[in-house]
Amino acid sequence: MNEILSLKNIAFTYVPDQPEVKNAVEDVSFAVNEGEWIAIVGHNGSGKSTLARIINGLLFPQQGSVSVLGQPMNEENLWDIRSQMGMVFQNPDNQFVGATVQDDVAFALENNGVPYEEMVERVHEALAQVKMTDFLDNEPQHLSGGQKQRVAIAGALALRPRILILDEATSMLDPQGRAEVLATVMKLREETGLTVLSITHDLEEAMLADRLLFMNGGRKFAEGTPQQIFDLGDELVKLGLDLPFPIKMAKLLQQQGVALEGGYMTEEELVNDIWISNFKK
Amino acid sequence: MDIELQKVSYSYGVGTPFEKRALFDVDLLIPSGSYQAIIGHTGSGKSTILQHLNALLKPTEGTVRIGDAIIEHKKKPKDLRPVRQKVGIVFQFPEHQLFEETVLKDIMFGPMNFGVDEKEAEARARTMSKLVGLPDNVLEKSPFDLSGGQMRRVAIAGVLAMKPDVIVLDEPTAGLDPRGRKEIMDLFYQLYEEQNLTMILVTHSMEDAARYADRIAIMYNGRCVLTGAPLEIFGDAEKLAEFRLEVPHIIQFQKRLEARLGFSLPKLCLREEELAETLAAALKERER
């Protein structure tokens, strides 16, 4: 498989002149294959967002290297590399520039010198992907929070990036909005082979990923499939994350003395387990 | 202090080409001492209602009564300061409103703005920062040197320091990690119980509403379409589906489990711990 992104021994501090302050990111290495969906999880302040900014070249690490498509990132190729990545931040209010929704989505295209006709087409396509076509001429400021975020995602999609970075991009959406956006990302991934890097607290979003990277105190605490990571159980909770509903429920039931096998990810499996362990004797 | 909305309608940009109606004939009574959740999708009118709760917006039609104060479209309101002091709003991402040099000064700003003298404001700031769980040593720090979760606590302490009777929470856990989310929601619940406050939680989280609120109002396309106790509202999945809302996860799970086991548990549960206890008891009962 084609390695699209690799980080080697990354260390970063926001205050290089204060060596006594702990690094925001310390000795993090990992690689992402093209078409993979990686979720970076961890509590607030664990270094997730710093890592996203390093990947996008918004921050340069003091140690270690970032390579995109085999090319080590440096100041010369930064713009080329960055054009391969679309980034969506948590708060869409901080990323609006256009007077209307379609102007806003077109902004990055204009910056990249995309011809007018193609620009119009891409803007419409991107807005259709996030179901915001009805709002082409609305002012972004007057949209609700969830709608704003969908426009921001469209802005990233319009660039047709190879990697889409979602920095807690669904955390302000309502459940339906979140589901729509995630379904959109899944569809995009299927159709275009988009690589997705999502930084999230949302367990359902994390469970969609092929692989999870679990950050704690600026370090990579664990890496693995959602199953492997959620098997860490109490350790996750201690480090500020939650457990998916079936796992949490199973633990509560076991504490109440209900016999269970355990070791599953879905509600269906939990329901089966309760049934088999307690009735089919 | 009761808050009552009677036939409240609101339009943004009245008299301009952009006029847009956001609320239609909303009736809602929030009795003193209740924990009211207002639930709805993005664009359902939740945020517009929120701004009526301490007279940041005046209804285009209808009446808002906040304690003794009556707020109507035609009438020029009297001094609204007492209303705004009595109803404290914790906006979404309240940490973005921090601005002072130190945490202490930031918490003192609200009460001093309402005419409390410096000494009293400082005393309140110290009490409230303890109440929200801030360590003493942060009071002299810049609020911008704190973590996101702590900044949010500072902002909440600032609202509490105004000694409101009612606290309105607008998606108070947005952007926090699961632990931070639970801590903040538990904190509000504790304040609600110990400080005798009325809580109004504006949210799209069915889970939080099920867990904490004792009254629910559902907003849909600018109308208040359902009000009632959590079990009444969440027990009726079909009704909720009409408003494109799902019952909380835990209830979906209980129904699914009951279908599989072939019997119903004695009650519908809104908390995971409660469901675990109820199910364990039911299983023991069956063994006998």
Side-chain angles (χ1 to χ4, degrees):
Chain A
M1 243 194 284
N2 203 356
E3 192 178 271
I4 194 162
L5 174 73
S6 101
L7 274 73
K8 285 206 177 74
N9 308 102
I10 298 288
F12 178 84
T13 173
Y14 286 96
V15 280
D17 52 336
Q18 294 175 39
E20 71 279 7
V21 176
K22 210 171 68 132
N23 283 350
V25 168
E26 183 69 54
D27 195 25
V28 172
S29 303
F30 70 94
V32 181
N33 290 320
E34 184 142 29
E36 237 186 334
W37 183 329
I38 301 282
I40 303 180
V41 298
H43 59 83
N44 290 120
S46 62
K48 305 186 301 283
S49 291
T50 306
L51 209 52
R53 285 168 171 74
I54 289 171
I55 292 167
N56 198 9
L58 288 172
L59 298 172
F60 273 95
Q62 281 91 4
Q63 285 168 45
S65 65
V66 179
S67 301
V68 177
L69 289 164
Q71 278 186 62
M73 191 189 290
N74 54 42
E75 286 186 21
E76 279 87 65
N77 63 15
L78 176 63
W79 290 96
D80 275 348
I81 285 180
R82 211 181 265 167
S83 71
Q84 306 286 328
M85 302 192 220
M87 187 144 175
V88 181
F89 296 93
Q90 179 177 28
N91 189 345
D93 286 331
N94 302 343
Q95 45 190 331
F96 274 122
V97 283
T100 66
V101 164
Q102 58 176 336
D103 283 358
D104 196 81
V105 176
F107 178 76
L109 298 176
E110 223 163 10
N111 258 352
N112 281 277
V114 175
Y116 179 78
E117 283 76 26
E118 192 186 337
M119 202 155 78
V120 172
E121 189 196 309
R122 285 208 204 178
V123 166
H124 284 251
E125 186 190 290
L127 285 169
Q129 283 169 331
V130 298
K131 298 196 178 142
M132 287 297 290
T133 313
D134 292 347
F135 296 86
L136 277 178
D137 293 314
N138 285 49
E139 291 174 41
Q141 302 88 291
H142 291 166
L143 299 175
S144 62
Q147 291 168 332
K148 283 177 186 167
Q149 196 61 322
R150 278 144 69 191
V151 173
I153 291 172
L157 293 179
L159 281 170
R160 299 196 177 148
R162 305 263 304 258
I163 307 177
L164 182 66
I165 303 176
L166 306 170
D167 187 359
E168 292 193 39
T170 62
S171 67
M172 286 177 65
L173 304 186
D174 59 29
Q176 200 165 13
R178 183 160 57 213
E180 261 173 43
V181 168
L182 292 177
T184 306
V185 176
M186 279 191 278
K187 192 175 125 238
L188 273 166
R189 212 179 141 227
E190 248 167 57
E191 290 171 357
T192 64
L194 189 70
T195 306
V196 179
L197 201 75
S198 64
I199 288 146
T200 184
H201 296 137
D202 183 64
L203 297 172
E204 278 161 43
E205 187 176 330
M207 280 166 81
L208 292 173
D210 301 314
R211 220 149 32 99
L212 301 189
L213 208 68
F214 179 15
M215 294 290 294
N216 182 48
R219 289 175 178 273
K220 185 171 81 176
F221 182 80
E223 182 180 346
T225 62
Q227 173 90 58
Q228 286 166 337
I229 295 295
F230 291 125
D231 276 349
L232 294 172
D234 280 342
E235 223 165 341
L236 281 182
V237 179
K238 238 184 275 159
L239 298 177
L241 285 189
D242 209 348
L243 291 171
F245 179 80
I247 298 176
K248 195 161 50 173
M249 201 66 228
K251 281 183 52 168
L252 286 169
L253 285 168
Q254 282 168 332
Q255 282 165 17
Q256 293 288 333
V258 176
L260 287 177
E261 292 283 317
Y264 31 69
M265 297 291 284
T266 69
E267 273 178 45
E268 190 57 40
E269 287 166 333
L270 173 59
V271 168
N272 275 337
D273 191 3
I274 294 173
W275 167 244
I276 290 166
S277 302
N278 292 279
F279 290 94
K280 281 182 103 179
K281 281 177 190 159
Chain B
M1 194 172 72
D2 295 354
I3 297 183
E4 189 172 16
L5 279 70
Q6 285 173 321
K7 298 249 164 292
V8 167
S9 295
Y10 185 81
S11 299
Y12 286 100
V14 174
T16 72
F18 304 107
E19 180 166 335
K20 194 167 176 292
R21 192 143 177 208
L23 292 181
F24 299 83
D25 292 327
V26 173
D27 287 315
L28 180 65
L29 171 66
I30 303 169
S32 189
S34 54
Y35 197 131
Q36 171 84 51
I38 301 177
I39 307 178
H41 277 298
T42 311
S44 63
K46 289 185 308 223
S47 305
T48 309
I49 285 215
L50 176 126
Q51 293 174 73
H52 282 83
L53 299 176
N54 80 347
L56 287 175
L57 292 178
K58 270 200 309 182
T60 315
E61 283 168 53
T63 309
V64 177
R65 186 171 61 77
I66 304 168
D68 301 329
I70 306 280
I71 292 134
E72 284 175 332
H73 178 60
K74 286 276 159 52
K75 288 203 193 117
K76 238 208 146 92
K78 283 186 292 185
D79 186 10
L80 286 173
R81 287 161 66 99
V83 169
R84 300 215 168 113
Q85 181 262 313
K86 288 262 159 42
V87 183
I89 300 189
V90 178
F91 284 101
Q92 224 178 79
F93 297 100
E95 59 273 24
H96 293 170
Q97 300 165 31
L98 301 177
F99 69 100
E100 271 284 11
E101 283 167 24
T102 69
V103 168
L104 186 69
K105 281 189 188 168
D106 209 294
I107 303 176
M108 286 165 66
F109 176 79
M112 285 177 71
N113 209 18
F114 283 106
V116 171
D117 68 53
E118 198 175 334
K119 212 172 133 217
E120 165 70 9
E122 184 175 336
R124 285 192 196 179
R126 290 187 186 277
T127 317
M128 297 309 165
S129 66
K130 265 204 197 71
L131 204 61
V132 300
L134 285 168
D136 277 343
N137 64 8
V138 305
L139 285 176
E140 297 305 326
K141 281 193 188 165
S142 160
F144 303 103
D145 287 343
L146 305 182
S147 71
Q150 282 192 327
M151 282 167 81
R152 192 163 296 193
R153 284 167 196 266
V154 173
I156 292 165
V159 172
L160 291 173
M162 290 186 269
K163 299 215 164 161
D165 294 337
V166 180
I167 293 194
V168 184
L169 308 169
D170 186 6
E171 296 288 2
T173 61
L176 294 183
D177 60 31
R179 177 168 53 192
R181 206 142 60 204
K182 185 167 182 307
E183 279 174 6
I184 290 280
M185 288 310 291
D186 287 348
L187 166 67
F188 285 125
Y189 197 75
Q190 186 197 341
L191 290 171
Y192 162 69
E193 288 198 310
E194 290 173 6
Q195 311 285 315
N196 211 8
L197 292 165
T198 306
M199 283 284 171
I200 304 173
L201 170 67
V202 179
T203 184
H204 50 57
S205 165
M206 295 301 229
E207 271 60 43
D208 284 347
R211 204 175 168 90
Y212 297 100
D214 59 11
R215 299 164 61 87
I216 310 271
I218 305 277
M219 292 296 298
Y220 183 69
N221 286 344
R223 294 174 197 276
C224 178
V225 289
L226 272 182
T227 52
L231 283 174
E232 280 171 58
I233 303 274
F234 295 138
D236 195 344
E238 276 172 36
K239 193 92 198 162
L240 279 177
E242 277 176 38
F243 308 120
R244 295 195 301 131
L245 291 171
E246 287 188 344
V247 300
H249 203 153
I250 179 142
I251 292 182
Q252 289 179 32
F253 176 75
Q254 184 177 341
K255 299 269 182 201
R256 197 166 172 180
L257 184 65
E258 286 173 347
R260 185 67 200 264
L261 299 182
F263 66 89
S264 290
L265 296 176
K267 61 174 179 180
L268 211 50
C269 300
L270 292 172
R271 292 166 184 245
E272 285 140 5
E273 300 81 359
E274 192 189 354
L275 177 58
E277 273 172 40
T278 309
L279 178 61
L283 291 176
K284 270 193 201 109
E285 189 69 22
R286 299 234 142 206
E287 261 173 33
R288 263 191 243 148

